[in-house]
Amino acid sequence: MANDRVRFLDTTLRDGEQSAGIGMTADEKLEIARQLSRLRVDIIEAGFAASSPGDFQAVSNIARQVRGPVIASLARAVANDVDQAWEAVKHAESPRIHVFLSSSDIQVLHQLRKNREEVMDMAVSMVTRAKRYCSDVEFSPMDATRTNPEYLFQMLEAVIRAGATTINVADTVGYAIPSAFGALIRDIQRQVAGIDKVTISVHCHNDLGLAVSNSLAAVEAGARQVEGCINGIGERAGNASLEEIIMALDTRKDLFKVDIGVDTTQLYPTSRLVSRITGMSVQANKAVVGENAFRHASGIHQDGVLKDRSTYEVMRPERVGVPGSSLVLGKLSGRAGLQSRLEALGFKLSRDEISKVFESFKLLADKKREVTDRDLEILMDEEKRVAGEPVSYTLDHVQFVGGDHNIATATVRLIGPSGDVLSDACTGNGPVDAVCKAIDRVVGSSGKLVDFNVQAVDEGLDALGTVTVRVEKDGKIYTGRGAATDIIVASAKAYLSAVNRFLAADEASTLPAVGTTPD
Ligand code: KIV
Ligand code: ZN
């Protein structure tokens, strides 16, 4: 019989990272994992250890350093993956190995080129192997919603016998419809022997825009673990938005009658952090965490909200951690005002750190009429990133000329690794191209700019712009971000931060590889 506590497995660091165009460093993953632990998700899927040495390291760091949630690594149903998953999570307070294998004929026959019996054997033998390492084993039949139900039930029964403690019904391609998905979960409870001893989990993708609805239908039907990503990021159209499911269960507890262990006030800070680190913006009208989620535009609505917020709000902004902003920050603001605003946004800083940020804040306030919460987040991100940046070159000065009749020319001055001042100039197809090429000349190395994304942080001609770039170097992708009121300066910062990363990776690649276990 299902209990009434729903657990959340956050897979932002694994399925979320499978979003096209995203790459996170091990440090960034650790930062997100720490925030997920503050959010009190139950399980963090920290990565897919066998997929690369970098992912192994990221999972292992999180397992060693993040306390509270269970830490899981994904593994294909092959021996080496299971072994590496265990090596990566074994130091966690509560480790989990998550084994997955296709179960639908479409994938079994056409992708794996195997038959049902062979796949069944692989599933059982790899769950057995995982169980020898770890008492907590999750098994996912991939593409479960397009799998022959009889075969699916047999597979689930077999892996439960082999020791799986969570079985995760994956709607891998976002094919399910809520009523049918709920019925499938009920059928699983009726037809699979041993199901009452394990947790039923669901993992929904959003190809038809139904990932959240399907997850909620599954909870109504008895699922007690839900998987998803912050901001709904993930493969193709993404995964179920964890913040939406959490707030639906919280707001409509009268209907769902389940408990959750999440600190909902950490949802907004978590959403902002994930957006900043991945460079994937959150649409303004996104439920729960979008910029407009608690803004009222029409006169009638404003009138109602001023009298009583519940007239047009089903949840309070404070419940999800959206800070109310009464204080306007600008060039006349003092340290105390800045500190209190930063604290409301979830940044806890020492006296020295405040002094440092205050200097950057004043520089920005000189250029902008009003410094918004988004500006402060960017400022903090810059401060933190620069402090944690692998090395090496910092931007001291950038100057450019351009226009429709001029050849774009940029001059950059960088401070090098040992404090030396280095400058060079270059022409290009446009100012950004010229700036990147001038940086290449100074550092004596170059990458290929494969993606360039500019965003204004808020409205207004004086808005701070953030630039996110992806740079390819030796077959690997490095991301970089920069912010400034001038887009070209922001581009130079972003490009340089990617360059610093690939230079650091070059250095690291001369060291021996760590952490991988031979099969
Ligand atoms: O979508 C999916 O099927 C997955 C599995 C690995 C759980 O992400
Ligand atoms: Zn998935």
Side-chain angles (χ1 to χ4, degrees):
M1 192 63 204
N3 66 23
D4 54 9
R5 168 77 194 274
V6 170
R7 292 189 154 68
F8 293 98
L9 179 147
D10 179 282
T11 182
T12 307
L13 299 175
R14 198 277 298 170
D15 223 337
E17 204 195 23
Q18 289 176 217
S19 310
I22 286 192
M24 294 180 248
T25 64
D27 282 349
E28 288 170 336
K29 288 183 181 176
L30 185 59
E31 192 178 350
I32 291 182
R34 289 205 162 106
Q35 177 58 29
L36 290 171
S37 146
R38 262 173 241 130
L39 175 63
R40 295 208 300 262
V41 299
D42 301 277
I43 304 110
I44 297 175
E45 185 160 69
F48 181 175
S51 66
S52 71
D55 227 38
F56 181 95
Q57 202 57 59
V59 178
S60 172
N61 288 347
I62 292 170
R64 286 166 198 269
Q65 297 187 49
V66 177
R67 292 292 173 253
V70 171
I71 307 296
S73 170
L74 187 68
R76 286 170 302 181
V78 295
N80 184 52
D81 276 30
V82 172
D83 297 349
Q84 291 215 35
W86 174 243
E87 281 300 310
V89 297
K90 68 180 179 191
H91 295 291
E93 198 173 39
S94 319
R96 173 180 291 188
I97 300 176
H98 177 187
V99 180
F100 76 99
L101 181 60
S102 297
S103 55
S104 68
D105 283 345
I106 303 176
Q107 294 191 354
V108 167
L109 303 177
H110 301 304
Q111 187 180 8
L112 300 181
R113 306 235 161 91
K114 294 193 182 294
N115 62 39
R116 286 186 184 175
E117 288 69 34
E118 288 170 310
V119 165
M120 184 75 82
D121 288 348
M122 284 167 76
V124 170
S125 94
M126 287 307 125
V127 168
T128 307
R129 191 179 184 100
K131 194 70 183 184
R132 284 206 289 264
Y133 290 127
C134 186
S135 59
D136 188 347
V137 175
E138 173 169 337
F139 178 79
S140 295
M142 184 153 82
D143 205 14
T145 48
R146 294 192 301 168
T147 299
N148 170 283
E150 293 310 316
Y151 179 65
L152 177 66
F153 302 154
Q154 282 166 18
M155 186 182 253
L156 294 179
E157 225 168 273
V159 294
I160 292 171
R161 268 201 310 273
T165 41
T166 300
I167 57 105
N168 179 40
V169 185
D171 185 28
T172 306
V173 291
Y175 179 70
I177 301 294
S179 53
F181 195 53
L184 175 64
I185 301 299
R186 287 193 180 90
D187 285 347
I188 287 173
Q189 289 170 94
R190 273 194 291 268
Q191 315 247 6
V192 174
I195 195 74
D196 50 336
K197 308 277 183 315
V198 305
T199 302
I200 302 178
S201 169
V202 289
H203 175 109
C204 298
H205 279 267
N206 206 29
D207 299 66
L208 295 173
L210 293 170
V212 169
S213 307
N214 285 329
S215 307
L216 293 174
V219 169
E220 280 189 303
R224 288 297 175 260
Q225 177 179 296
V226 177
E227 304 195 354
C229 294
I230 297 296
N231 298 338
I233 64 173
E235 189 83 48
R236 304 182 309 281
N239 286 65
S241 271
L242 222 47
E243 63 280 4
E244 293 182 18
I245 300 170
I246 289 168
M247 287 318 292
L249 296 184
D250 185 66
T251 306
R252 298 309 311 270
K253 195 170 188 319
D254 59 319
L255 207 81
F256 289 102
K257 297 190 171 41
V258 292
D259 295 321
I260 58 175
V262 173
D263 177 358
T264 60
T265 65
Q266 290 296 325
L267 283 172
Y268 184 71
T270 312
S271 161
R272 297 303 315 145
L273 180 70
V274 168
S275 172
R276 287 200 305 276
I277 285 182
T278 59
M280 284 188 84
S281 49
V282 174
Q283 75 197 52
N285 62 330
K286 165 89 172 58
V288 182
V289 291
E291 207 181 325
N292 291 350
F294 298 97
R295 291 170 95 188
H296 304 270
S298 92
I300 295 175
H301 289 213
Q302 287 179 346
D303 174 57
V305 167
L306 285 170
K307 288 173 178 146
D308 185 328
R309 297 196 74 117
S310 65
T311 51
Y312 290 95
E313 278 177 0
V314 295
M315 57 196 153
R316 299 297 300 268
E318 302 80 37
R319 184 88 187 134
V320 302
V322 170
S325 68
S326 50
L327 209 73
V328 175
L329 289 178
K331 64 179 176 186
L332 298 178
S333 305
R335 215 172 286 248
L338 174 67
Q339 182 165 0
S340 104
R341 195 84 213 117
L342 285 173
E343 275 168 12
L345 289 169
F347 297 104
K348 304 212 174 1
L349 302 181
S350 68
R351 201 186 250 269
D352 284 354
E353 286 166 328
I354 284 283
S355 300
K356 211 159 160 286
V357 179
F358 190 62
E359 278 174 35
S360 319
F361 165 77
K362 280 287 181 188
L363 288 176
L364 178 62
D366 260 346
K367 296 190 185 138
K368 284 199 82 213
R369 202 171 26 88
E370 182 187 335
V371 179
T372 64
D373 288 349
R374 289 285 159 92
D375 293 333
L376 289 181
E377 285 176 348
I378 302 284
L379 206 71
M380 288 306 301
D381 194 35
E382 284 259 295
E383 293 284 326
K384 237 184 319 149
R385 205 163 38 71
V386 170
E389 198 93 272
V391 233
S392 17
Y393 294 91
T394 51
L395 185 71
D396 186 41
H397 173 77
V398 54
Q399 182 188 322
F400 43 87
V401 287
D404 52 358
H405 295 298
N406 289 328
I407 295 174
T409 310
T411 306
V412 296
R413 193 166 66 215
L414 308 184
I415 310 292
S418 43
D420 34 342
V421 178
L422 307 155
S423 59
D424 214 324
C426 202
T427 58
N429 285 333
V432 174
D433 188 42
V435 163
C436 296
K437 284 184 172 146
I439 290 176
D440 288 346
R441 286 172 78 134
V442 174
V443 304
S445 183
S446 67
K448 185 171 164 220
L449 192 61
V450 289
D451 196 17
F452 177 80
N453 187 292
V454 190
Q455 266 187 312
V457 173
D458 48 32
E459 303 109 26
L461 290 175
D462 62 354
L464 199 59
T466 55
V467 172
T468 307
V469 296
R470 294 194 315 126
V471 174
E472 191 186 322
K473 174 79 176 163
D474 301 332
K476 291 209 183 100
I477 298 289
Y478 298 87
T479 51
R481 288 190 305 282
T485 47
D486 185 303
I487 294 300
I488 309 299
V489 177
S491 308
K493 287 184 179 176
Y495 184 69
L496 189 60
S497 101
V499 167
N500 278 332
R501 284 175 180 200
F502 72 61
L503 291 177
D506 267 359
E507 250 171 50
S509 68
T510 59
L511 303 170
V514 282
T516 46
T517 308
D519 193 14

